[in-house]
Amino acid sequence: MKVGVIGDEDTIALLKLAGASKFASNIEKFDEMVRDEELAILVITDEFAEKLREKIVMHRLQKEFPFIVEIPGKKKVEKEDTIKKIIVRAVGVEVG
Amino acid sequence: MAKKVLEGVKPTRMELLQMRKRKALAMKGHQLLSEKRDALVSSFFDLIRKRKEKREEAEGIINEAFKTLARAEMVMGEEKVRQMADKISKEREIKVSKKNVMGVTTPQFEIGEAMPLSYSVFSTFSEFDESVRKAREALNKIVELAEAEGSIQMLGREIEKTKRRVNALEYIFIPRLVATISYIERQLEEREREDFFRRKRIKALLEQHEA
């Protein structure tokens, strides 16, 4: 399977060099990307993930593939740690 | 919480036996599920620790990769770097397998080896090579991070589900069964008392009659 990327141009260039397969630089492509059965992992930069917050949370609660990873892009933004949210939901306290 | 009796239950001895059996089963289920929950939570904590490590590693390397990319862009020009990226990009296959953690399937990813670079050495700079290397390293780390976070996601979901089941048994189902059992017992006792009283009464009447 393959790696998909949603992010700014710099992140796309970087991961293109690294060997990722599918790229999108706007959040409208999200729905299409998560339905893509070829993708095992979908990398989203924090800046874009912030705008897709709800969709990402829903996807993580209901679906499996592609697994979403949020990474800091070139531009640093304040963001929520969504994995931490899953942890809090599961064990009721904040850990790690 | 109002103790509700299960609906449609007739106060008979048969029902009582059946309710007792159901209660025993529910208690056993509750115990098993809470053991499962505890086991899941303890492996969940291991994963959380692993994920934290991976995230720090990945973020560090991504940062470095951006810096080397910027350096390559400085010497070669952004345009040229992007062009080269398009030209030499070789898709890397991700091998997906599953690992079973306490009955929960968690994803395992393995990224294919990167192909040796297939461009001519003369058309690029060492900065570019460096940034390709860093970028690949970053992707390797991202894949590892995806594995850890994916496992947390799957396990977290299962823990939530198990927790909900344990709570439903503990706070709704078992109390309801207990209430039903005591309701049937009370009804049966009451009937017995009535019976007893009736017999006494008849006996007294009969004795009066004979006398």
Side-chain angles (χ1 to χ4, degrees):
Chain A
M1 293 172 90
K2 297 179 185 324
V3 179
V5 182
I6 298 179
D8 52 85
E9 293 299 332
D10 288 295
T11 310
I12 288 178
L14 186 77
L15 292 174
K16 202 178 256 177
L17 284 176
S21 305
K22 302 206 169 154
F23 308 93
S25 55
N26 61 57
I27 53 171
E28 282 77 41
K29 281 271 161 58
F30 179 80
D31 293 313
E32 196 182 308
M33 297 277 264
V34 290
R35 271 199 302 271
D36 192 330
E37 283 172 11
E38 276 232 280
L39 295 182
I41 299 170
L42 180 57
V43 180
I44 306 180
T45 61
D46 288 339
E47 189 194 343
F48 285 70
E50 219 28 67
K51 294 177 203 147
L52 291 163
R53 191 51 63 228
E54 259 164 54
K55 283 184 173 179
I56 292 175
V57 170
M58 285 314 280
H59 178 82
R60 281 204 169 122
L61 286 178
Q62 292 167 351
K63 306 251 169 46
E64 297 178 19
F65 286 100
F67 285 94
I68 295 171
V69 191
E70 294 169 27
I71 62 160
K74 199 166 194 180
K75 211 162 66 180
K76 300 281 173 291
V77 288
E78 277 297 306
K79 59 124 192 185
E80 260 182 298
D81 189 341
T82 25
I83 292 292
K84 208 161 243 173
K85 257 193 177 157
I86 295 177
I87 296 170
V88 173
R89 276 178 74 126
V91 292
V93 284
E94 202 160 306
V95 237
Chain B
M1 195 179 3
K3 283 200 173 169
K4 276 180 83 176
V5 173
L6 289 180
E7 273 172 42
V9 176
K10 289 188 203 83
T12 63
R13 219 157 267 286
M14 273 295 278
E15 286 276 15
L16 181 63
L17 287 177
Q18 216 156 35
M19 285 299 142
R20 281 189 181 147
K21 240 188 251 166
R22 275 175 77 180
K23 186 186 152 204
L25 191 69
M27 301 269 263
K28 206 169 156 197
H30 176 258
Q31 210 207 332
L32 284 174
L33 278 173
S34 52
E35 271 167 27
K36 179 187 172 187
R37 181 197 55 195
D38 295 347
L40 280 174
V41 167
S42 91
S43 44
F44 197 55
F45 282 135
D46 291 341
L47 272 176
I48 292 170
R49 215 168 305 129
K50 196 173 139 204
R51 179 256 177 177
K52 202 180 167 204
E53 263 169 44
K54 297 272 179 219
R55 181 151 274 280
E56 277 159 16
E57 272 176 38
E59 291 191 352
I61 284 187
I62 291 165
N63 238 333
E64 278 174 43
F66 272 126
K67 274 186 204 139
T68 49
L69 186 70
R71 222 168 306 152
E73 282 171 353
M74 232 156 16
V75 289
M76 289 167 62
E78 202 179 297
E79 205 52 34
K80 181 89 172 120
V81 171
R82 299 278 147 94
Q83 267 175 29
M84 286 302 287
D86 282 331
K87 219 175 353 180
I88 65 148
S89 75
K90 282 252 163 49
E91 290 180 12
R92 285 161 80 189
E93 191 67 21
I94 306 282
K95 248 210 299 212
V96 180
S97 53
K98 280 172 182 158
K99 194 175 143 205
N100 196 322
V101 181
M102 316 260 164
V104 188
T105 45
T106 57
Q108 300 277 299
F109 299 126
E110 205 182 304
I111 186 161
E113 268 307 305
M115 302 270 213
L117 296 176
S118 60
Y119 53 88
S120 121
V121 207
F122 304 109
S123 62
T124 56
F125 293 84
S126 65
E127 281 83 359
F128 184 73
D129 297 4
E130 178 67 14
S131 71
V132 172
R133 232 172 24 104
K134 278 281 179 220
R136 286 178 172 174
E137 222 176 294
L139 187 61
N140 292 349
K141 286 291 167 201
I142 290 173
V143 170
E144 283 175 27
L145 180 63
E147 184 179 299
E149 296 197 341
S151 305
I152 286 184
Q153 175 188 328
M154 300 308 286
L155 220 59
R157 259 153 62 167
E158 187 68 20
I159 289 173
E160 246 191 287
K161 224 192 304 174
T162 313
K163 223 167 61 176
R164 215 161 18 220
R165 283 193 198 137
V166 170
N167 285 346
L169 279 174
E170 190 171 333
Y171 295 113
I172 298 171
F173 208 66
I174 292 177
R176 232 173 246 188
L177 283 175
V178 170
T180 312
I181 287 170
S182 76
Y183 160 75
I184 298 178
E185 277 170 350
R186 266 185 283 119
Q187 290 284 319
L188 288 178
E189 275 167 28
E190 180 60 26
R191 218 176 290 166
E192 216 162 295
R193 273 194 295 274
E194 276 172 19
D195 239 28
F196 182 70
F197 183 73
R198 206 176 296 136
R199 254 178 283 163
K200 270 248 187 232
R201 192 81 185 119
I202 291 171
K203 204 174 161 196
L205 278 173
L206 280 178
E207 272 167 11
Q208 219 175 38
H209 210 67
E210 269 166 34

